[in-house]
Amino acid sequence: MLSDRRQRVLGALIEEYVSRALPVGSRTLIERYPLGVSSATVRSELSRLEDDGYLMQPHTSAGRVPTDAGYRAFVDDLIQRDLLPRDSFYSHAVKELLETSSELDELLQQVSFDLSRFTDCLSVVLAPALFDFRLKQISLVSLSPFQFLCILVTEDGQVFNRHIYSPDEVDTDELARLQVYLNQVLCGKTLRELEQLLSEILGSALHDSLVSCCVSEIIYFIQEGSGVRSHSLGMSSLLQKPEFAHSQSLIPVMHMLEDDALLLEILDRSSTTDGGEVPAVSIGRENGTDALSGVSVVAGRFGSGGSQGIVAVIGPTRMDYSRVITAVQCARDVLHEVQ
C-alpha cells in the first residue's frame, strides 16, 4: 500500500508520461506539478518507487516510466478514491444515439465509432448472443414470384432480414397465410427454443416446399446468430501511438480481432461478471499472454442474464485510464438500458 505522498508522485509521473510518451525526470515533476514537497523528497520517492517495482529506467541516464505494477496502483487508487469523472461528454453523446438508432447493431456500431474517437484507442463492442432473445414478429414481403424477404424482429428491437428464394412460384395470398402461421407458432419464444421447434416443423412439413424453404432459412439464421458479432474500430488510432510505430507490434492485437474465440476469451476474462459499477481493467501481462503484454484492456458487460454483451477499449498501457474507464462505464451503462 503506497503512502499518499508516494501515490501523488506516482500519479503525477503517470499523467506526464501518458501526455508525452517520454521518460519523466524529477525536475519535470517539480516544475509542472504542485506536489507540495521539496525536490530532494521527490527524487527520494522516485527512487523508492523504482526499488519497489512501480517505475523503471529505460536507460541509466534517462527519466523513469511506469511499470505494469505502477499502472495497477494508479488505477486502483483512481477507483478506490472515486476520482473518476461523474459527468462526461461521452455519456451525453451515447444517450443521444439511443434516440437516433433504430436497430441494436446500428447502435453498437455507432457506439464503437464514438468510443474509439473519444478515447483515441481501439474499441470493441460484442453484441449479446441471439439465443436468449424472444421473437416479436415475422414479416414476409414479396419481391418477385420466386423471391421474398423474411424480416425477424426481436422483443429488444433487433431487426434481421433474409432474402429467400422459393423453388416454386409464390403468390401473395400464400405468403400472407404463411406469415400468419409462423407468427402464431413462433412469436414469444426465444431463438434458443425456436431452433428445436423449427426443426420439428421442418420434419413434418417436407411436403410443403414453401414452409420448408422458409423454415430452413430461419434455422440457418439462428445458427449464424450463435457466433460472435463484434464491432471493432480504431486500429488506425493505435498505429499512431509511439508504442506501435512499428506495425509488427500490433500483429498480436490484429490476430486477436480476427479470431472470434480468442477475442471472446480475452474480453470475457477482462470484463466484469457481476455488473460491477466500474469496468474491469487488465494491464499488460495481466492479459495472460506475452503477445498482449504491451496493451491494456478496459471492459464491462451490458445486458442481463444469458443475453450479455461486452464493451471494451484496447490501447497501450500508457493510456489515459481515467478517460477510458469513464467512457467504457458510460457506454456500458447506457447499452444496459437497451437490453
Side-chain angles (χ1 to χ4, degrees), residues 128-325:
L130 293 178
F131 272 150
D132 293 299
F133 289 131
R134 293 189 180 277
L135 189 64
K136 180 180 181 181
Q137 180 181 336
I138 296 177
S139 298
L140 305 178
V141 181
S142 178
L143 300 176
S144 74
F146 294 93
Q147 181 184 6
F148 59 95
L149 187 66
C150 178
I151 304 170
L152 305 178
V153 181
T154 61
E155 289 186 351
D156 73 309
Q158 295 191 76
V159 180
F160 306 93
N161 59 76
R162 296 190 71 87
H163 285 78
I164 298 178
Y165 297 88
S166 171
D168 303 314
E169 188 170 344
V170 182
D171 62 40
T172 54
D173 289 340
E174 280 185 284
L175 209 57
R177 285 194 294 271
L178 177 58
Q179 176 177 302
V180 170
Y181 167 71
L182 292 177
N183 275 283
Q184 288 176 340
V185 174
L186 306 180
C187 285
K189 295 181 172 58
T190 67
L191 299 188
R192 190 187 302 272
E193 295 169 340
L194 288 183
E195 188 173 22
Q196 177 61 38
L197 179 58
L198 287 168
S199 297
E200 295 173 0
I201 293 174
L202 187 61
S204 63
L206 291 178
H207 62 283
D208 189 326
S209 61
L210 178 59
V211 173
S212 175
C213 178
C214 188
V215 168
S216 295
E217 285 295 326
I218 296 176
I219 290 176
Y220 183 70
F221 154 75
I222 293 173
Q223 291 171 343
E224 273 188 331
S226 64
V228 176
R229 296 178 297 146
S230 65
H231 303 268
S232 307
L233 290 167
M235 186 64 74
S236 60
S237 296
L238 290 192
L239 285 169
Q240 296 174 30
K241 305 292 184 186
E243 295 89 341
F244 304 116
H246 302 289
S247 58
Q248 187 77 13
S249 58
L250 263 182
I251 288 178
V253 180
M254 294 177 176
H255 284 169
M256 177 186 68
L257 294 175
E258 292 170 355
D259 186 338
D260 286 346
L262 177 60
L263 174 65
L264 186 57
E265 178 186 344
I266 296 285
L267 295 184
D268 192 57
R269 187 169 61 237
S270 302
S271 64
T272 53
T273 57
D274 58 359
E277 190 173 320
V278 179
V281 182
S282 183
I283 300 170
R285 296 189 181 280
E286 294 175 0
N287 289 306
T289 169
D290 288 342
L292 297 178
S293 61
V295 302
S296 289
V297 181
V298 179
R301 291 178 176 274
F302 64 92
S304 58
S307 301
Q308 291 190 331
I310 298 173
V311 56
V313 166
I314 301 170
T317 53
R318 185 192 57 84
M319 67 163 57
D320 185 340
Y321 287 96
S322 178
R323 185 178 182 86
V324 172
I325 293 172

